[in-house]
Amino acid sequence: MTAKSFYGFKAHVEITYDGYIINYVITKASVHDAVEALELITSSPYYQLLVDVGYVGKDLHDFLKKQGFYLWTPYRSNMKGTKEHNSQN
């Protein structure tokens, strides 16, 4: 049996509603989304953002909310708090 190795990349991309790329970061595939989220989000000219569920973390979410950012993150229907999660209250 031979050992296999894999090395990949991940793109963290900010795209406008019109589909234009306005910011991006390329990382190793092993880097967690939340690691790049802070810099990418805080450098955004927009304050209401649709982000992948990988960016969800209570501490990061609370910090960004205090900075004036609103993160809309689609939850799976079986996740606790789904209905309340994207409430702007």
Side-chain angles (χ1 to χ4, degrees):
M1 194 180 258
T2 58
K4 295 182 181 181
S5 62
F6 175 78
Y7 188 82
F9 297 95
K10 191 186 297 186
H12 307 269
V13 183
E14 183 178 2
I15 302 171
T16 66
Y17 293 113
D18 303 8
Y20 293 101
I21 295 174
I22 59 172
N23 199 0
Y24 68 93
V25 177
I26 306 294
T27 64
K28 295 188 294 184
S30 61
V31 174
H32 192 278
D33 293 339
V35 172
E36 292 301 322
L38 184 61
E39 185 172 339
L40 191 62
I41 291 170
T42 57
S43 66
S44 174
Y46 302 100
Y47 289 91
Q48 292 188 353
L49 304 166
L50 171 65
V51 298
D52 185 90
V53 76
Y55 289 91
V56 175
K58 182 164 176 36
D59 293 339
L60 179 60
H61 185 270
D62 291 347
F63 173 78
L64 291 169
K65 187 174 182 177
K66 288 178 185 175
Q67 303 300 313
F69 291 95
Y70 173 72
L71 303 182
W72 188 78
T73 52
Y75 263 31
R76 294 185 302 273
S77 62
N78 64 344
M79 293 177 83
K80 183 178 178 181
T82 299
K83 292 180 182 177
E84 301 83 22
H85 178 73
N86 287 312
S87 170
Q88 289 194 15
N89 296 328

